[in-house]
Amino acid sequence: MDVSQNSLTYKKQELSHYKIIFITGGIGVGKSSVLKWFANKGFPVISADDVSRQVILNSSEVIRSIYNLFGDECVDIETLQIKPAALRHKISSDPKHKKQLEALLHPLIFYRLVEVIKQNPCEKPIIIEVPILDSDFGFEHIADHILWIDADPKVQVERVMLRDLVNEKSALAMLDIQTSRTVFKDKSDYYIYNDGSENDFSKKLETWWNELYPTLSDLE
């Protein structure tokens, strides 16, 4: 699959009538809460994680490719079922494995994401949760604005343990393979620190959005 800069530019041109806003950040910082906030206001929202699951689950070829990378440890080849916990452990135990999986999936996810975007009307900005900005593929090239959500690492660990029902060691391992804060800072246009209650976070979002929204053209 063509992952050249020319290909990315072409895909951006396909989306020229859309205003695309990425919501990014590490695990357990509140990105899903941001999507819910926008959905409640009537904006179209997309989760890149959901797109990723569609890419994997809807293609036996992709599952076989993952099997070719990691074997029986991560895939039941007879039933063509991914073993999520084992795959998560595999990529968190070695950055090389994470890169291998990303090289396989990210081009497929990107092109599927473009198709999902095009299924939406372009009257309103489209809000997309994208947890990864350090991919060699360059998802950020199609975004008009990128908002980085961050939180205290201790809070992230607590949230991940509660959400995924994993122990502290596993949660820390998942944090260790996340995009670095330096990359998020360098590639994002805006920043919100989710350090308080859900109500406080909503107020921060409201303030940020009220400042950004009037600057977006061609909304009507």
Side-chain angles (χ1 to χ4, degrees):
M1 182 167 288
D2 181 5
V3 296
S4 67
Q5 185 61 48
N6 286 339
S7 176
L8 293 171
T9 301
Y10 176 73
K11 286 299 178 184
K12 177 59 179 173
Q13 290 172 350
E14 282 189 21
L15 302 173
S16 61
H17 296 300
Y18 292 90
K19 290 295 180 182
I20 297 174
I21 299 174
F22 277 6
I23 309 300
T24 194
I27 54 175
V29 298
K31 299 186 300 296
S32 296
S33 296
V34 178
L35 282 197
K36 290 178 183 177
W37 188 87
F38 275 105
N40 288 337
K41 291 182 176 294
F43 289 92
V45 300
I46 300 170
S47 166
D49 280 344
D50 288 345
V51 173
S52 174
R53 281 188 282 271
Q54 292 172 19
V55 166
I56 296 173
L57 296 178
N58 294 336
S59 173
S60 59
E61 181 180 348
V62 172
I63 295 176
R64 290 181 189 279
S65 295
I66 296 174
Y67 174 79
N68 290 338
L69 283 175
F70 305 129
D72 293 328
E73 182 182 352
C74 298
V75 177
D76 184 330
I77 195 60
E78 291 187 2
T79 61
L80 291 178
Q81 294 292 314
I82 298 290
K83 302 175 183 178
L87 184 59
R88 187 164 56 239
H89 175 73
K90 190 74 173 180
I91 63 174
S92 64
S93 64
D94 189 334
K96 179 183 70 175
H97 296 148
K98 178 173 178 283
K99 284 292 185 183
Q100 289 175 321
L101 188 63
E102 289 176 350
L104 169 66
L105 295 180
H106 283 184
L108 302 173
I109 294 168
F110 175 80
Y111 283 94
R112 176 58 185 155
L113 180 61
V114 169
E115 293 306 310
V116 173
I117 291 170
K118 290 162 62 178
Q119 292 170 9
N120 288 275
C122 58
E123 286 77 13
K124 290 184 176 182
I126 296 181
I127 315 301
I128 306 176
E129 176 193 0
V130 180
I132 296 173
L133 287 185
D134 61 349
S135 167
D136 293 335
F137 195 71
F139 284 84
E140 68 273 11
H141 290 288
I142 65 169
D144 295 293
H145 301 277
I146 300 176
L147 170 64
W148 170 32
I149 308 296
D150 197 20
D152 185 286
K154 292 181 179 179
V155 174
Q156 287 181 264
V157 169
E158 292 172 358
R159 290 172 178 166
V160 172
M161 290 172 63
L162 182 63
R163 183 193 69 188
D164 295 349
L165 301 178
V166 296
N167 58 31
E168 184 177 11
K169 182 179 178 180
S170 296
L172 286 169
M174 293 165 69
L175 256 67
D176 284 343
I177 63 170
Q178 298 288 296
T179 300
S180 73
R181 283 176 165 79
T182 300
V183 172
F184 281 131
K185 181 179 179 181
D186 290 344
K187 294 192 175 186
S188 299
D189 305 302
Y190 312 96
Y191 167 75
I192 294 178
Y193 194 67
N194 184 10
D195 60 344
S197 67
E198 185 174 340
N199 186 54
D200 289 338
F201 188 37
S202 294
K203 288 180 179 178
K204 290 181 178 181
L205 279 173
E206 191 83 46
T207 298
W208 166 74
W209 185 241
N210 287 340
E211 292 174 356
L212 175 63
Y213 189 83
T215 71
L216 304 178
S217 60
D218 302 321
L219 291 175
E220 303 299 333

